[in-house]
Amino acid sequence: MNLQLIGSITNGGNIRQEFQKYSWTKYFEMKDTINNKWLLFIVFFTCIPASQASELNFSIKENSELIVTSPSGNKAFKVNIYINGYNVNCIGDKVILWGRTKKINENNPQDSRIVLIDLKKEQTIKESNFSKSIFEVDYLSGQGTAYIGTGTGYLLDIDTGAVSNVNTANDFSDNRLFESCEKNKSWYFNRYNE
């Protein structure tokens, strides 16, 4: 028990009142300490993913393997395409690779494919084929969608991998529609723009 509480009881104080006063004081001190610890916990753990994401570096190995380098090591994603490009979103949790398929379709020699990868889960979400070459992929700002630059264009849901045709009324030449952030140079590669 606290010496302050014992002192006031021995000086003629009411035991019950003094203990209740002591209890409530300690409760509020403890509550403030717990709230501060939770606040520190929340701040600390919500900041980690952003700092970890910014430490990621990307490279291509043997034209069909994406290497993700982080402070904890390397992760390799082998894909069934010859990589022509890739783009990591601003958050750093998704990457879309595009290129031509390794196995040529004789009926359509321009077969192209995209590979959508979830970097947090370290797994491929979906692969989708296209009949025309893909020249660029870019993320739409705040929509969880990416624009695939092939033919008249397609939209890719970056959570599910669902692909839909672009409405011809949409004008994707306006750069303000797309994500804008400071990215590590290795987060974007396009063989056609070298």
Side-chain angles (χ1 to χ4, degrees), residues 11-46:
N11 290 333
N14 180 321
I15 294 175
R16 175 177 235 133
Q17 287 176 342
E18 291 299 323
F19 185 74
Q20 285 177 340
K21 191 186 332 177
Y22 171 79
S23 297
W24 281 110
T25 304
K26 282 298 171 193
Y27 166 77
F28 284 112
E29 286 176 11
M30 237 172 57
K31 183 179 171 211
D32 289 342
T33 303
I34 290 170
N35 286 342
N36 289 341
K37 285 180 180 176
W38 272 109
L39 181 62
L40 287 172
F41 175 81
I42 290 168
V43 167
F44 180 72
F45 282 103
T46 55

Side-chain angles (χ1 to χ4, degrees), residues 13-190:
N14 180 321
I15 294 175
R16 175 177 235 133
Q17 287 176 342
E18 291 299 323
F19 185 74
Q20 285 177 340
K21 191 186 332 177
Y22 171 79
S23 297
W24 281 110
T25 304
K26 282 298 171 193
Y27 166 77
F28 284 112
E29 286 176 11
M30 237 172 57
K31 183 179 171 211
D32 289 342
T33 303
I34 290 170
N35 286 342
N36 289 341
K37 285 180 180 176
W38 272 109
L39 181 62
L40 287 172
F41 175 81
I42 290 168
V43 167
F44 180 72
F45 282 103
T46 55
C47 292
I48 283 179
S51 64
Q52 285 178 345
S54 65
E55 295 174 355
L56 298 177
N57 287 297
F58 297 82
S59 60
I60 297 173
K61 180 180 176 186
E62 297 178 10
N63 214 15
S64 61
E65 189 173 0
L66 181 72
I67 306 296
V68 182
T69 305
S70 70
S72 60
N74 293 346
K75 172 71 179 167
F77 294 95
K78 292 183 180 183
V79 291
N80 290 319
I81 61 172
Y82 296 109
I83 301 170
N84 286 333
Y86 63 83
N87 194 356
V88 180
N89 65 349
C90 285
I91 299 171
D93 67 343
K94 303 280 188 333
V95 61
I96 301 171
L97 298 91
W98 65 92
R100 50 188 173 64
T101 57
K102 285 184 173 180
K103 185 177 179 185
I104 293 182
N105 177 353
E106 296 298 327
N107 297 324
N108 187 1
Q110 291 185 353
D111 256 354
S112 295
R113 179 179 291 165
I114 59 150
V115 180
L116 172 62
I117 296 173
D118 186 319
L119 295 169
K120 283 186 178 180
K121 295 179 181 175
E122 297 184 347
Q123 67 184 25
T124 298
I125 296 173
K126 188 163 184 182
E127 295 184 21
S128 297
N129 293 318
F130 297 88
S131 61
K132 296 185 179 186
S133 293
I134 299 169
F135 294 99
E136 187 165 16
V137 172
D138 209 350
Y139 299 91
L140 294 170
S141 182
Q143 297 185 26
T145 308
Y147 172 76
I148 302 168
T150 181
T152 57
Y154 294 89
L155 295 177
L156 173 71
D157 182 308
I158 64 171
D159 293 320
T160 65
V163 177
S164 59
N165 291 322
V166 167
N167 181 341
T168 55
N170 294 337
D171 178 16
F172 288 99
S173 64
D174 184 356
N175 287 334
R176 294 176 295 175
L177 293 173
F178 299 100
E179 272 189 340
S180 177
C181 60
E182 286 291 321
K183 288 185 182 182
N184 176 324
K185 187 179 176 184
S186 75
W187 285 30
Y188 179 82
F189 168 74
N190 189 337

